[in-house]
Amino acid sequence: MPAVTIKEAAKRLHRLGKRVGTAGAFDPVATMFAAGARRRVERGVDPEGVPHRLRSPLTASIAGGPKPGRDTGQMIRSLTGYSRQHGRSVILAWGSPLAYALTYDRGATITPRPPGRMLAIPLTMKARKYGALEYPARLFMFPFDRREKPRSLVEFTCQGVVAVYALQTETTVPARPFLPPSKADMRRLKAHLDGMIKNGLRGRV
């Protein structure tokens, strides 16, 4: 780098400071963090590289595999990042607009709304496809004795009575962290900042 005076270097760093404080200056970093989150969902690991909890054998057989988050690829495709100005600060934001993405990341205990109802957990691929309200056949509560607490929704078929949904008062989704940046992400952030400072000192900002 050509030699510059301290005064000139200060001017260049001042220009860099103005550039850093503008919206979009850190878009490449936010996009990079979003790409890291996509990789973790695809690999099924958390930011430390620890494998996510796999689905139960039953859920895996219905959803098409033991690793969640990759069935349709919708959540992976939805992960984006951007930066925006907030006063004199710059905020990095990355994630997914899908409602279940945060539940996937942090986990949650899901209860029915309004209270008093029950969750219908699909037990077959057909049940997962349609949902209990749009299932294309009449369903019956089991046990059939109304004095007993219902445990499932069943369908009468040519093969007999088939359990289609399990009825539960709540279900717990385990946390599968993927949004927090990994150590590799932070190294990329440091490299990006180093590059910005070097370019600023060279007068390229």
Side-chain angles (χ1 to χ4, degrees):
M1 181 177 66
V4 296
T5 65
I6 294 178
K7 185 177 180 179
E8 177 61 24
K11 287 182 179 179
R12 293 179 180 181
L13 287 176
H14 181 68
R15 288 197 297 270
L16 173 63
K18 288 186 175 180
R19 163 80 173 119
V20 167
T22 60
F26 280 86
D27 279 355
V29 178
T31 300
M32 174 190 69
F33 280 2
R38 282 194 293 271
R39 285 192 295 270
R40 286 187 284 279
V41 175
E42 289 170 346
R43 293 176 55 200
V45 298
D46 70 11
E48 300 297 324
V50 178
H52 287 159
R53 180 176 172 180
L54 299 178
R55 289 172 167 144
S56 67
L58 174 61
T59 305
S61 66
I62 297 171
K67 292 185 178 181
R70 305 184 302 174
D71 309 345
T72 64
Q74 187 177 7
M75 186 171 73
I76 292 175
R77 291 192 299 270
S78 72
L79 289 166
T80 57
Y82 64 91
S83 65
R84 63 183 176 87
Q85 191 172 353
H86 182 71
R88 300 181 64 180
S89 302
V90 173
I91 295 177
L92 295 180
W94 65 96
S96 167
L98 299 177
Y100 61 82
L102 196 60
T103 299
Y104 184 97
D105 180 75
R106 298 181 180 178
T109 297
I110 300 174
T111 55
R113 295 180 182 179
R117 295 190 176 184
M118 302 190 78
L119 299 172
I121 310 300
L123 300 177
T124 67
M125 294 183 69
K126 182 179 178 181
R128 188 170 187 266
K129 176 181 178 181
Y130 288 101
L133 296 179
E134 298 182 6
Y135 195 78
R138 188 176 179 185
L139 299 175
F140 300 86
M141 287 187 177
F142 181 85
F144 303 121
D145 189 338
R146 294 190 176 183
R147 292 172 297 181
E148 297 186 45
K149 182 179 179 179
R151 296 193 299 270
S152 61
L153 294 176
V154 300
E155 175 186 5
F156 287 95
T157 70
C158 297
Q159 290 75 34
V161 179
V162 178
V164 181
Y165 294 94
L167 298 177
Q168 298 180 5
T169 55
E170 66 177 35
T171 185
T172 299
V173 178
R176 297 180 173 97
F178 69 96
L179 288 173
S182 65
K183 292 180 180 178
D185 291 333
M186 298 309 294
R187 286 195 296 269
R188 295 186 186 99
L189 171 60
K190 181 179 181 301
H192 181 80
L193 294 175
D194 289 345
M196 288 184 71
I197 293 172
K198 288 178 181 178
N199 288 335
L201 290 172
R202 290 169 180 165
R204 298 178 181 175
V205 176

